[in-house]
Amino acid sequence: MANKEIPYKIYLEEDEMPKAWYNLRADMKVKPAPLLNPATHEPASIDMLSQVFCRELAEQELNVTDAYIEIPEEIRSFYKMYRPSPLVRAYCLEKKLGTPAKIYYKFEGNNTSGSHKLNSAIAQAYYAKKQGLKGVTTETGAGQWGTALSMACSYFDLDCKVYMVKVSYEQKPFRREVMRTYGADVTPSPSMTTEVGKKILEAHPGTTGSLGCAISEAVEYAVSHEGYRYVLGSVLNQVLLHQSVIGLETQTALKKYDIKPDIIIGCAGGGSNLGGLISPFAGEVLRGEADYKFIAVEPASCPSLTRGKYAYDFCDTGMICPLAKMYTLGSNYIPAPNHAGGLRYHGMSTVLSELHDQGILDAVSYKQTEVFEAAEMFARVEGILPAPESSHAIKGAIEQALRCKETGEEKTIVFGLTGTGYFDLAGYAKYNDGELENYVPTDEELAESLAKLPKMD
Ligand SMILES: *Cc1c(COP(=O)(O)O)cnc(C)c1O
C-alpha cells in the first residue's frame, strides 16, 4: 500500500482491533524491580495482592513472562462501542507550524468519560464481575478515572464507590453528576464513612483532602466490606497492559499505510497512556527490530522522571499499597495545584521508570502556560479542545516539529491525545484571563521530600 495518499483519519476495521493485550515486560531483558510488601519488604505475592485487588488482575500485575494476554470477548465487545480510535494526521497543525515533519495523533477522547481511562476501567470491572464481587472502590482527583469506572461498572452492573478529593468534588460538580448518572456513589474525601477519614478530619478539620487520603479511604472500604475490591486507574502494570490497545491499534494503522514513526510522544502522569502507546514499539526496540525515539512529557510542577529519584517508594500517600521501584518525588510530595490534575502523581509506572533508566525513554517537562499555549494553537487549527494533560503531549510534539523545521528533516511524529477538556474550562478561563501561574519546585523542596523515602536495607 505504499504511496497511498494518507487520509486525515486512519480508521481500522473492527476485525483489525487487537485480540490480545501486549505485555512489554515479557520482552524486557532487565525487568522492572518487583513490587514489595510494605510491611515485610518481601516481593508481593498474588495472595497478598488479591486481598486488595481482584485475583485475575493481581495475576496480570505480576506476570512478566506472557507477551500476549487474550482480551476476553466481553471486553472486546465493549471496546467496539467506542473503538477503534482514530489515528489523525495533523495536516492543519503541520501547516500552521510550517514544518516538514509529519504529525499524527491517536485520539482517545471519543467516549463519554473523555479519556483513555475507559480502556482499563472496563477490563477491571469485567474481572471484578467474573470473580462474583459486589462492587469496587476507588479514588478520583480530577474525576476522569471515576467517570470511566462508573461507566464500566454500570455496564457490568457492579456497585461503584468513588472517593473524590473534596476540593474537586466542590469545584467539579459536573463530573460528579456524570458519575452519579452512571450509578456511582460519590463521597467527598475525607469523609466520616471510614476510620482513616474520621482521623484525618479530627486532626485537620476543614481540610479539602488529597489524593493520598482518598486512596486510603477507598482501600479501607474495600478491605473492610465483603465482596469489594479496590481498583486503580494508572501506574500499575495491569493498567499499562490494558492500555496497550492504544499502541497496538496505532501500530496496525501505521502499517496499513507503510508509515514508520521516528518519534513517539505522550504525556506522563502515572504512565498508563504513554506506556500503552509505546509498548508495542518499545517491544520492537528491545527485540532489536527497529529504532524509535520515545518522549515522556510531564508538568514542570510535578517532574518525577526529569527530576525525581529512581528508588523504592510508596505508591500512595496512605502507605498501604505495595512499594514500587520507580522515579519518584516522594510519596509525601504534594504538587502545587495545576490544571492538569491527571498528571499530579508523585511517582511513575515501574515499566516506564526502568525504560527511562535504560536510556530507552527520554523525558521533558513544560510549564503550564506553555502547555495551554500549545492547547490553544491545537484547538484553533485541529478543532479538538484538548484536556490540559493531553496538551503536554501536544507541546512536546510541537517542539519536535519546530526542530524539524530548523533542520529540514521530514520526521514522522506520533503523539497520544488522551482526552478532551470540557471539564477543565476553569483552567482555560485562567489562561484566557492571563492569570495562569507557573510553579516549579526548588531543588531544596524536592530534596526535603526525597529525604523521606522509605529506608530499604
Ligand atoms: C489520567 C489522565 C492522564 C494521565 O494518566 P496516565 O496514567 O499517565 O496516562 C492523561 N490524560 C488524561 C486525559 C487523563 O485523564
Side-chain angles (χ1 to χ4, degrees), residues 115-117 144 233-235 267-274 342-343 387 389-390 418-419:
S115 83
H116 64 289
K117 292 203 170 70
Q144 289 99 317
S234 181
V235 194
C267 64
S272 73
N273 87 83
L274 176 64
L343 304 184
E389 291 89 349
S390 325
T418 50

Side-chain angles (χ1 to χ4, degrees), residues 58-69:
E59 283 167 16
Q60 291 179 358
E61 194 58 34
L62 299 184
N63 186 333
V64 295
T65 46
D66 297 321
Y68 290 94
I69 294 174

Side-chain angles (χ1 to χ4, degrees), residues 6-183:
I6 312 287
Y8 268 75
K9 285 188 183 139
I10 306 179
Y11 277 108
L12 301 180
E13 303 295 332
E14 269 182 15
D15 64 4
E16 292 174 304
M17 287 170 63
K19 297 183 178 59
W21 292 301
Y22 172 62
N23 181 13
L24 178 63
R25 287 168 293 166
D27 281 322
M28 292 173 77
K29 282 188 199 81
V30 180
K31 313 275 184 210
L35 297 174
L36 303 181
N37 181 321
T40 62
H41 292 189
E42 295 287 319
S45 65
I46 290 179
D47 284 339
M48 177 215 150
L49 292 179
S50 318
Q51 290 164 19
V52 180
F53 304 116
C54 303
R55 180 108 200 156
E56 207 148 337
L57 292 167
E59 283 167 16
Q60 291 179 358
E61 194 58 34
L62 299 184
N63 186 333
V64 295
T65 46
D66 297 321
Y68 290 94
I69 294 174
E70 198 192 313
I71 307 175
E73 181 62 43
E74 278 168 280
I75 299 176
R76 280 164 50 200
S77 329
F78 187 90
Y79 280 166
K80 282 176 193 166
M81 288 202 278
Y82 68 101
R83 310 197 66 82
S85 71
L87 181 70
V88 186
R89 174 78 182 265
Y91 281 117
C92 302
L93 181 63
E94 289 169 18
K95 192 168 156 215
K96 170 84 184 168
L97 296 170
T99 176
K102 298 176 182 70
I103 309 174
Y104 295 85
Y105 57 91
K106 179 74 169 162
F107 180 47
E108 291 292 321
N110 250 337
N111 66 75
T112 301
S113 81
S115 83
H116 64 289
K117 292 203 170 70
L118 194 53
N119 299 332
S120 183
I122 193 63
Q124 298 196 42
Y126 167 82
Y127 290 115
K129 188 70 184 179
K130 196 174 158 212
Q131 192 171 324
L133 299 178
K134 279 191 217 138
V136 293
T137 70
T138 200
E139 77 291 340
T140 198
Q144 289 99 317
W145 168 244
T147 312
L149 189 69
S150 56
M151 288 175 72
C153 285
S154 78
Y155 185 72
F156 285 120
D157 196 20
L158 278 169
D159 191 22
C160 179
K161 254 196 128 20
V162 180
Y163 285 92
M164 187 170 188
V165 179
K166 193 179 275 168
V167 59
S168 309
Y169 183 88
E170 283 158 6
Q171 284 177 355
K172 295 196 168 183
F174 294 148
R175 275 250 177 242
R176 185 178 81 206
E177 292 317 316
V178 178
M179 287 185 256
R180 291 178 61 207
T181 303
Y182 282 97

Side-chain angles (χ1 to χ4, degrees), residues 295-310:
I295 308 175
V297 186
E298 49 185 24
S301 57
C302 194
S304 41
L305 281 172
T306 46
R307 294 175 66 198
K309 192 170 162 188
Y310 192 29

Side-chain angles (χ1 to χ4, degrees), residues 233-288:
S234 181
V235 194
L236 297 177
N237 297 319
Q238 53 187 277
V239 184
L240 250 76
L241 176 74
H242 306 148
Q243 295 296 356
S244 68
V245 291
I246 303 174
L248 292 163
E249 282 183 10
T250 304
Q251 197 180 37
T252 308
L254 291 172
K255 271 190 196 145
K256 258 184 139 167
Y257 287 88
D258 275 337
I259 303 161
K260 192 193 160 296
D262 298 294
I263 308 173
I264 306 178
I265 303 173
C267 64
S272 73
N273 87 83
L274 176 64
L277 174 65
I278 70 172
S279 274
F281 299 96
E284 292 177 33
V285 171
L286 292 170
R287 295 189 304 267

